[in-house]
Amino acid sequence: MEIKVMKRVLDRNRDMAGRVRERLKSSNVVMINMISSPGAGKTSMLEHICHQLGNKIRIAVIEGDVATDRDAQRIKKYDVPILLINTDGGCHLDSNSIDIALGEFDLDNLDVMFVENVGNLVCPSHFDLGETFKLAVVSTTEGDDKPVKYPMLFREARAVVLNKTDLVQYTNFDYSSFLSALREINNSVPLFELSCRTGEGLGNFMEWLLEETGN
Ligand SMILES: Nc1nc2c(ncn2[C@@H]2O[C@H](COP(=O)(O)OP(=O)(O)O)[C@@H](O)[C@H]2O)c(=O)[nH]1
Ligand SMILES: [Mg+2]
């Protein structure tokens, strides 16, 4: 599958989130905005999702990347439509770029559009892309304090993934601090603990994903 590439088209005066949402709705496409720190495992999750669900649902991916096409290249082998938005240093994607990006897809032949946002927990949380929901991804190697420090994302996310459970024994990640902070911010959000390395916990997450996207 060819990787289409575009530059982020920043137009601060035009918030297109509403239009994106309408377009997705009229084509019955669920858009998932994946947000995490750099390296938490968004692309690794997408690799598993494309591999495991690619023959069950019609998937497309928008990769937001500051400069390279490395993540898009990792997804390319799964034969799903993919578009790369280079932000040229920008720290998040925006709804105007997503609106333009949607024109590159055959929306009526898609079920779920994954957006890998630029890796950081601050800016992407503040910009509505018109997504159906946000998915927060954290990992055991980045410390247990992320919900306390970046509450907005954890308040808004439809689900939280705690990745790299295989490494927890080598870290000082305090699971009970993590969980109590998360529950203080959002006491109902589903939490999926998994490892993209070993595959542990991925099955539960995939089941939830299928159900949540109506598939
Ligand atoms: N040990 C371990 N490594 C992981 C896991 N998930 C991802 N990684 C590694 O962590 C690094 C960053 O992952 P990546 O998916 O690129 O993160 P992204 O920046 O959020 O897209 C890569 O070297 C992955 O191979 C995991 O569950 N366990
Ligand atoms: Mg990535």
PDB file of all heavy atoms in Angstrom, residues 39 41-44 63-65 71 74 116-117, ligand 2:
ATOM      1  N   GLY A  39       7.051   7.045  22.496  1.00  0.00           N
ATOM      2  CA  GLY A  39       7.597   5.746  22.898  1.00  0.00           C
ATOM      3  C   GLY A  39       6.703   4.900  23.780  1.00  0.00           C
ATOM      4  O   GLY A  39       7.097   3.806  24.193  1.00  0.00           O
ATOM      5  N   GLY A  41       4.017   3.378  22.940  1.00  0.00           N
ATOM      6  CA  GLY A  41       3.605   2.168  22.220  1.00  0.00           C
ATOM      7  C   GLY A  41       2.440   2.326  21.254  1.00  0.00           C
ATOM      8  O   GLY A  41       1.811   1.331  20.884  1.00  0.00           O
ATOM      9  N   LYS A  42       2.173   3.541  20.791  1.00  0.00           N
ATOM     10  CA  LYS A  42       1.047   3.738  19.865  1.00  0.00           C
ATOM     11  C   LYS A  42       1.245   2.956  18.568  1.00  0.00           C
ATOM     12  O   LYS A  42       0.341   2.256  18.107  1.00  0.00           O
ATOM     13  CB  LYS A  42       0.875   5.239  19.521  1.00  0.00           C
ATOM     14  CG  LYS A  42       0.584   6.122  20.705  1.00  0.00           C
ATOM     15  CD  LYS A  42       0.489   7.589  20.304  1.00  0.00           C
ATOM     16  CE  LYS A  42       1.758   8.187  19.721  1.00  0.00           C
ATOM     17  NZ  LYS A  42       2.963   8.104  20.540  1.00  0.00           N
ATOM     18  N   THR A  43       2.418   3.094  17.965  1.00  0.00           N
ATOM     19  CA  THR A  43       2.638   2.402  16.686  1.00  0.00           C
ATOM     20  C   THR A  43       2.651   0.890  16.898  1.00  0.00           C
ATOM     21  O   THR A  43       2.113   0.141  16.070  1.00  0.00           O
ATOM     22  CB  THR A  43       3.950   2.873  16.025  1.00  0.00           C
ATOM     23  OG1 THR A  43       4.018   4.294  16.072  1.00  0.00           O
ATOM     24  CG2 THR A  43       4.031   2.420  14.578  1.00  0.00           C
ATOM     25  N   SER A  44       3.220   0.445  18.009  1.00  0.00           N
ATOM     26  CA  SER A  44       3.228  -0.997  18.293  1.00  0.00           C
ATOM     27  C   SER A  44       1.800  -1.520  18.424  1.00  0.00           C
ATOM     28  O   SER A  44       1.472  -2.604  17.928  1.00  0.00           O
ATOM     29  CB  SER A  44       3.992  -1.288  19.590  1.00  0.00           C
ATOM     30  OG  SER A  44       5.297  -0.807  19.504  1.00  0.00           O
ATOM     31  N   GLU A  63      -1.155   8.863  10.227  1.00  0.00           N
ATOM     32  CA  GLU A  63       0.023   8.963  11.086  1.00  0.00           C
ATOM     33  C   GLU A  63       0.427  10.418  11.211  1.00  0.00           C
ATOM     34  O   GLU A  63       0.717  11.074  10.202  1.00  0.00           O
ATOM     35  CB  GLU A  63       1.193   8.190  10.460  1.00  0.00           C
ATOM     36  CG  GLU A  63       1.191   6.702  10.713  1.00  0.00           C
ATOM     37  CD  GLU A  63       1.459   6.360  12.171  1.00  0.00           C
ATOM     38  OE1 GLU A  63       1.934   7.239  12.921  1.00  0.00           O
ATOM     39  OE2 GLU A  63       1.177   5.219  12.562  1.00  0.00           O
ATOM     40  N   GLY A  64       0.451  10.935  12.433  1.00  0.00           N
ATOM     41  CA  GLY A  64       0.949  12.287  12.651  1.00  0.00           C
ATOM     42  C   GLY A  64       2.393  12.203  13.121  1.00  0.00           C
ATOM     43  O   GLY A  64       2.680  11.529  14.103  1.00  0.00           O
ATOM     44  N   ASP A  65       3.272  12.826  12.392  1.00  0.00           N
ATOM     45  CA  ASP A  65       4.684  12.715  12.772  1.00  0.00           C
ATOM     46  C   ASP A  65       5.368  14.058  12.561  1.00  0.00           C
ATOM     47  O   ASP A  65       5.068  14.763  11.603  1.00  0.00           O
ATOM     48  CB  ASP A  65       5.373  11.637  11.933  1.00  0.00           C
ATOM     49  CG  ASP A  65       6.269  10.758  12.786  1.00  0.00           C
ATOM     50  OD1 ASP A  65       6.934  11.295  13.690  1.00  0.00           O
ATOM     51  OD2 ASP A  65       6.306   9.526  12.548  1.00  0.00           O
ATOM     52  N   ASP A  71       7.012   5.751  11.357  1.00  0.00           N
ATOM     53  CA  ASP A  71       5.848   5.008  11.848  1.00  0.00           C
ATOM     54  C   ASP A  71       4.990   4.534  10.677  1.00  0.00           C
ATOM     55  O   ASP A  71       4.513   3.398  10.661  1.00  0.00           O
ATOM     56  CB  ASP A  71       5.011   5.871  12.804  1.00  0.00           C
ATOM     57  CG  ASP A  71       5.717   6.085  14.139  1.00  0.00           C
ATOM     58  OD1 ASP A  71       6.802   5.499  14.330  1.00  0.00           O
ATOM     59  OD2 ASP A  71       5.180   6.822  14.973  1.00  0.00           O
ATOM     60  N   ARG A  74       6.301   1.470   9.250  1.00  0.00           N
ATOM     61  CA  ARG A  74       6.018   0.275  10.067  1.00  0.00           C
ATOM     62  C   ARG A  74       4.616  -0.258   9.800  1.00  0.00           C
ATOM     63  O   ARG A  74       4.359  -1.458   9.884  1.00  0.00           O
ATOM     64  CB  ARG A  74       6.186   0.601  11.557  1.00  0.00           C
ATOM     65  CG  ARG A  74       7.641   0.679  11.982  1.00  0.00           C
ATOM     66  CD  ARG A  74       7.799   1.294  13.367  1.00  0.00           C
ATOM     67  NE  ARG A  74       7.160   0.531  14.430  1.00  0.00           N
ATOM     68  CZ  ARG A  74       7.051   0.967  15.689  1.00  0.00           C
ATOM     69  NH1 ARG A  74       7.546   2.142  16.024  1.00  0.00           N
ATOM     70  NH2 ARG A  74       6.469   0.215  16.605  1.00  0.00           N
ATOM     71  N   GLU A 116      -2.776   8.279  14.775  1.00  0.00           N
ATOM     72  CA  GLU A 116      -1.666   8.322  15.742  1.00  0.00           C
ATOM     73  C   GLU A 116      -1.221   9.766  15.845  1.00  0.00           C
ATOM     74  O   GLU A 116      -0.611  10.315  14.931  1.00  0.00           O
ATOM     75  CB  GLU A 116      -0.497   7.424  15.324  1.00  0.00           C
ATOM     76  CG  GLU A 116       0.648   7.581  16.339  1.00  0.00           C
ATOM     77  CD  GLU A 116       1.814   6.608  16.181  1.00  0.00           C
ATOM     78  OE1 GLU A 116       1.708   5.631  15.419  1.00  0.00           O
ATOM     79  OE2 GLU A 116       2.839   6.854  16.850  1.00  0.00           O
ATOM     80  N   ASN A 117      -1.566  10.401  16.958  1.00  0.00           N
ATOM     81  CA  ASN A 117      -1.222  11.806  17.130  1.00  0.00           C
ATOM     82  C   ASN A 117       0.271  11.941  17.425  1.00  0.00           C
ATOM     83  O   ASN A 117       0.949  10.961  17.722  1.00  0.00           O
ATOM     84  CB  ASN A 117      -2.065  12.412  18.266  1.00  0.00           C
ATOM     85  CG  ASN A 117      -2.457  13.852  17.978  1.00  0.00           C
ATOM     86  OD1 ASN A 117      -1.630  14.648  17.533  1.00  0.00           O
ATOM     87  ND2 ASN A 117      -3.700  14.189  18.234  1.00  0.00           N
TER      88      ASN A 117
HETATM   89 MG    MG B   2       4.728   6.026  16.894  1.00  0.00          MG
END
